[in-house]
Amino acid sequence: MTQSHGYAAQDATTPLTPFRFTRRELHEHDVHIEIQWCGVCHSDIHFTRNEWGDAIYPCVPGHEIIGTVKAVGSAVTKFKPGDLVGVGVIVDSDRTCPSCKAGEEQYCEGGTTLTYGQKDKYGDMTQGGYSNNIVTDEHFVHRVSPKLNPAGVAPLLCAGITTYSPLRHWKVGPNKKVGIIGLGGLGHMGLKFSHSFGAHTVQFTTSESKIADAKRLGADDVVISKDRAAMKKEANSFDFILDTVSAPHDIDPYLEALRRDGTYCQVGLPEKPPVINPGNLLFKRRSWSGSIIGGMRETQEMLDYCAEKGITADVEVIRIQEINEAFERVVKADVKYRFAIDMSSLGA
Ligand code: NAP
Ligand code: ZN
């Protein structure tokens, strides 16, 4: 077995604390990665606090992982020791269903295995990246360019691909008007990508203090969503709106902002489902949709795109010992715009 240690939630209400555990021996397609950086996603908080109702403890969260390959199994072809690599939200899928064959493993009909908080096919609980190492099948490991700041690359493994994938799927680009709701970890990456793809991009935020940053990050316009008059001015004008909000909120004012045939895409996953007025869909043939992370091929495409364009997340670097304060700040929407944990702070 591989000895591992990290920070885990032991239940839904107490702080994360140091935790020792084991990971499986290397199987032939496995890669052993020493973890250097891990981003802090709001999903880590929803999950460890059992806000989605499916937590299993103890749980080491973290699915925005950057590290160096230390060892590879006998059949590994993609990686060698010393390579800089990334692991995101899923570490397995059935590989045989139509979604997997199409390279959309995140929609696997047989069910995906999440990087933490689930039993894998060997019967072990998966544990995430707030730890010193991980053992994962090479199919779910990505090449990372050493040209970019690795702390800022870590959040690309979840926040990056979760926003890149729907923006590509709905063909966001020049001559499109796109809205991004919420300027947090996902939102600021959605803003960077939409701007980079050439769309006219409007940032919706509840935080007046973020207006200047939104413009710096690529927003052509910023709308304070609590300002009803400002929201009304946007009516019937958007081709696509991406909702990255982590808490329950009113969706109807944004549906009204879509033009005929426009699409509202949900990537935020608050603990309570929203209620909408169907009239806002049918009178303008608008669509209300959702999207989850991205497939392995598209995740690599996104990482390569970021390396080519010099795109990374804006991060606040923390030590693992600061993780509980960091969670509180994420909940208060007070992070600019993703925490990245320097895993060397974990020690031996
Ligand atoms: P985050 O960094 O906390 O950002 C969420 C943003 O939402 C905040 O910065 C804030 O932006 C806005 N917000 C927060 N509370 C609000 C409220 N009560 N009303 C209106 N706006 C509010 O979170 P994240 O890590 O980006 O994750 C966002 C959501 O996506 C979470 O629910 C997470 O679980 C989910 N997620 C989904 C996927 C997927 O594959 N679909 C992947 C990762 C995460 P402003 O200050 O600008 O208003
Ligand atoms: Zn995430």
Side-chain angles (χ1 to χ4, degrees), residues 40-43 46 52 63 89 158-159 162 181-187 203-207 210 225 244-249 266-270 291-293 330-331 333-335 337-338:
V40 177
C41 179
H42 206 118
S43 301
H46 289 310
W52 292 329
H63 56 209
V89 177
C158 175
T162 299
I181 315 176
L183 192 58
L186 269 56
Q203 179 69 48
F204 292 98
T205 179
T206 58
S207 308
K210 295 180 183 173
S225 51
T244 76
V245 174
S246 51
H249 59 287
Q266 195 80 48
V267 288
L269 190 55
S291 182
I292 193 160
I293 48 169
V330 172
V331 171
D334 171 33
V335 49
Y337 278 88
R338 197 59 141 188

Side-chain angles (χ1 to χ4, degrees), residues 3 7 31 50 52 78 85 106 112-113 138 166 228 278 328:
Q3 299 300 317
Y7 266 54
V31 177
N50 202 22
W52 292 329
K78 274 168 67 184
V85 295
Q106 74 279 28
T112 54
T113 304
E138 64 171 331
R228 283 191 176 192
E328 291 310 321

Side-chain angles (χ1 to χ4, degrees), residues 37-39 66 148-156 312-313 315 317 338-341:
W37 295 97
C38 190
I66 295 291
L148 298 175
N149 166 21
V153 175
L156 301 180
T312 53
V315 290
V317 168
R338 197 59 141 188
F339 287 114
I341 311 167

Side-chain angles (χ1 to χ4, degrees), residues 37-244:
W37 295 97
C38 190
V40 177
C41 179
H42 206 118
S43 301
D44 300 344
I45 303 173
H46 289 310
F47 190 88
T48 54
R49 296 187 175 177
N50 202 22
E51 291 170 357
W52 292 329
D54 55 355
I56 300 174
Y57 302 101
C59 174
V60 178
H63 56 209
E64 295 184 336
I65 298 168
I66 295 291
T68 305
V69 174
K70 279 288 158 210
V72 296
S74 58
V76 167
T77 55
K78 274 168 67 184
F79 303 103
K80 59 180 188 323
D83 287 351
L84 189 65
V85 295
V87 176
V89 177
I90 61 176
V91 289
D92 210 355
S93 65
D94 73 12
R95 326 268 186 103
T96 55
C97 72
S99 294
C100 286
K101 284 196 173 140
E104 304 264 30
E105 296 90 341
Q106 74 279 28
Y107 301 115
C108 175
E109 277 99 81
T112 54
T113 304
L114 297 173
T115 302
Y116 60 81
Q118 271 192 338
K119 249 191 192 149
D120 64 21
K121 66 182 172 206
Y122 306 105
D124 300 328
M125 280 305 298
T126 57
Q127 301 289 5
Y130 296 8
S131 62
N132 61 333
N133 58 34
I134 189 163
V135 174
T136 307
D137 187 294
E138 64 171 331
H139 185 73
F140 297 87
V141 180
H142 306 283
R143 284 187 320 275
V144 168
S145 167
K147 282 195 298 194
L148 298 175
N149 166 21
V153 175
L156 301 180
L157 275 307
C158 175
I161 186 60
T162 299
T163 51
Y164 182 96
S165 182
L167 292 171
R168 284 296 197 210
H169 182 78
W170 276 280
K171 302 191 170 31
V172 158
N175 305 318
K176 298 272 178 172
K177 185 173 175 185
V178 171
I180 307 288
I181 315 176
L183 192 58
L186 269 56
H188 93 293
M189 288 313 308
L191 175 54
K192 287 188 186 200
F193 285 133
S194 178
H195 173 71
S196 173
F197 298 165
H200 180 89
T201 309
V202 178
Q203 179 69 48
F204 292 98
T205 179
T206 58
S207 308
E208 282 183 38
S209 61
K210 295 180 183 173
I211 294 175
D213 277 352
K215 291 196 169 147
R216 173 179 62 79
L217 295 166
D220 296 289
D221 214 343
V222 183
V223 174
I224 299 297
S225 51
K226 292 179 281 194
D227 179 343
R228 283 191 176 192
M231 289 296 285
K232 281 236 172 307
K233 269 196 214 154
E234 302 296 325
N236 301 314
S237 68
F238 283 83
D239 297 284
F240 184 76
I241 296 181
L242 189 67
D243 182 339
T244 76

